[in-house]
Amino acid sequence: MRHLIRTAVVTAALVVTTVLSAGPALAAPSDQDATWLRAAHQGNLAEIAAGNAAQQSATTADVRNLGAMFVQMHTDLDNQLKPVAQQLGVALPGGPTAQQQQQLAAVQGQRGQQFDTAWIAQQIAAHSTTLSATQKEVQAGSDQRVLQLARAATPVVQQHLSELRNAAQKYGGPRSVPAGTGGQAADDSFRTAGWGVAGVGALMLVAAVAMSARRRATRR
């Protein structure tokens, strides 16, 4: 009899432990939370790649330093994001989006001061898109772990935008994103098409900045 009671107690304890340990995994993340986790991860990867490119190709110390800062801070953000995505069962993409890769390739096609100006312009567009999406997550997200990530990322992205706008004022290029490149258009397309609209706008912005830089160089 005592053996049966002991067995029942042990079994009940195992069941309770299993239920408690599995509890957090039972709640599936909302579409908003899952979408933001994937896009934020790809944004971090894109910023790390862009930061490395700046350190390799920029002609000014300011842009190289911005690149180094982006690599460090977006790596930190991504290291915080990945375990939360794993806990929630959200599979993360293996690299930046095709549009983000095209944006970086367009910038890397520039040389000298034109690279610096195009890089700053593209990064303003990219960080504006990131900020818009992150603010949406803060407003519409539901999982507290994901919301905490978004709240922590917001001041980082805002700091980067501030630094980029100061660099744009110093070295030339737009200090804000024209309509349709990274603000409302990015927010409207975020859920259904990722960052495609913003990506096309950023490419157009980079091309315009590069053309302007060439004209200035020709006049000289």
Side-chain angles (χ1 to χ4, degrees):
M1 184 68 177
R2 291 178 180 175
H3 176 71
L4 291 175
I5 294 174
R6 189 183 308 112
T7 301
V9 170
V10 171
T11 301
L14 288 172
V15 170
V16 171
T17 301
T18 301
V19 170
L20 290 176
S21 62
L26 294 177
S30 67
D31 289 343
Q32 167 64 35
D33 291 337
T35 299
W36 183 82
L37 283 170
R38 287 190 288 266
H41 172 64
Q42 288 184 297
N44 288 330
L45 296 181
E47 297 307 332
I48 292 168
N52 286 328
Q55 293 178 80
Q56 295 170 4
S57 303
T59 62
T60 60
D62 287 340
V63 173
R64 289 194 297 270
N65 291 338
L66 281 175
M69 181 176 72
F70 291 0
V71 170
Q72 177 185 349
M73 300 184 80
H74 281 281
T75 298
D76 291 342
L77 289 175
D78 211 49
N79 286 339
Q80 297 170 33
L81 181 150
K82 286 186 287 189
V84 173
Q86 184 176 14
Q87 291 170 14
L88 294 174
V90 176
L92 297 176
T97 67
Q99 288 82 9
Q100 288 164 339
Q101 295 176 42
Q102 290 171 6
Q103 290 171 29
L104 182 56
V107 172
Q108 290 178 307
Q110 308 302 318
R111 295 292 181 268
Q113 181 64 46
Q114 294 175 9
F115 173 92
D116 295 38
T117 306
W119 187 88
I120 292 168
Q122 189 272 325
Q123 286 300 298
I124 289 175
H127 279 81
S128 296
T129 299
T130 298
L131 182 60
S132 176
T134 302
Q135 289 173 334
K136 180 177 181 179
E137 169 61 25
V138 171
Q139 296 170 358
S142 55
D143 188 280
Q144 289 302 312
R145 289 163 291 187
V146 184
L147 285 170
Q148 185 176 355
L149 290 172
R151 293 187 185 110
T154 298
V156 174
V157 178
Q158 289 173 330
Q159 177 194 352
H160 292 181
L161 266 175
S162 177
E163 297 281 356
L164 287 162
R165 286 166 179 156
N166 290 338
Q169 185 176 25
K170 185 174 181 180
Y171 298 109
R175 297 180 61 192
S176 60
V177 180
T181 61
Q184 186 62 41
D187 186 65
D188 291 342
S189 65
F190 180 69
R191 181 178 294 274
T192 59
W195 291 0
V197 172
V200 173
L203 285 171
M204 295 174 63
L205 182 61
V206 169
V209 170
M211 185 177 297
S212 176
R214 288 194 185 99
R215 288 174 179 168
R216 290 198 301 270
T218 301
R219 289 171 184 169
R220 293 175 185 171

